[in-house]
Amino acid sequence: MTLKDAAREVRENAHAPYSNFKVGAAIRTSTGAVFQGCNVENVAYPEGTCAEAGAIAAMCAAGEREIAEVYVIAQSPAPVPPCGGCRQKIAEFASGDVVVTLATTGGVEKQMRVAELLPGAFDASFMDGS
Ligand code: THU
């Protein structure tokens, strides 16, 4: 299954009764494995958990840590940009040149690299202190 098909498929499982905005995300790792995530909202915190965060959680739960490619899809007039928190979460496990494809269900795609999504990212090197 392509990353696009994996993201499309999991989007159908999104739990988005508050926003009515279903998002699907799929990650391919350096081993070639694919992990899927959808957004899951709840009444107390209607923004819930993003699709990208769900896919990252599945990846980590499987013991994987190295993102090679990301695909995010939603029914939206333009490809949906990941929220700030998700950009940081993706950057935790991906090098700056990793491609993130943002897509609409209508077929529009936009590709961005992680370094473009989160320029000037905070990383562990800033904690060196010396
Ligand atoms: N959402 C995602 O899952 N990923 C994104 O990249 C943007 C936003 C979700 C969170 C919430 O469930 C809904 O979309 C509206 O913000």
Side-chain angles (χ1 to χ4, degrees):
M1 189 185 285
T2 65
L3 215 52
K4 177 182 182 171
D5 286 343
R8 266 187 185 279
E9 176 191 78
V10 71
R11 179 180 164 274
E12 300 297 330
N13 295 334
H15 178 70
Y18 306 105
S19 69
N20 284 314
F21 187 64
K22 293 183 166 197
V23 185
I27 290 171
R28 187 169 52 78
T29 63
S30 53
T31 69
V34 171
F35 298 95
Q36 296 165 290
C38 56
N39 54 329
V40 180
E41 300 176 350
N42 68 81
V43 66
Y45 302 99
E47 72 279 9
T49 305
C50 287
E52 297 90 326
I56 289 169
M59 175 189 77
C60 286
E64 298 229 22
R65 295 287 188 274
E66 206 176 321
I67 294 177
E69 196 181 346
V70 183
Y71 197 103
V72 184
I73 191 163
Q75 183 173 355
S76 143
V80 157
C83 77
C86 285
R87 292 173 193 225
Q88 189 76 55
K89 291 179 183 112
I90 292 168
E92 177 76 14
F93 301 105
S95 61
D97 61 350
V98 163
V99 172
V100 180
T101 301
L102 315 173
T104 71
T105 53
V108 182
E109 288 187 350
K110 177 179 182 177
Q111 295 199 317
M112 294 185 74
R113 293 191 188 274
V114 168
E116 295 176 287
L117 282 171
L118 194 64
F122 173 72
D123 64 35
S125 70
F126 289 96
M127 295 192 290
D128 280 353
S130 50

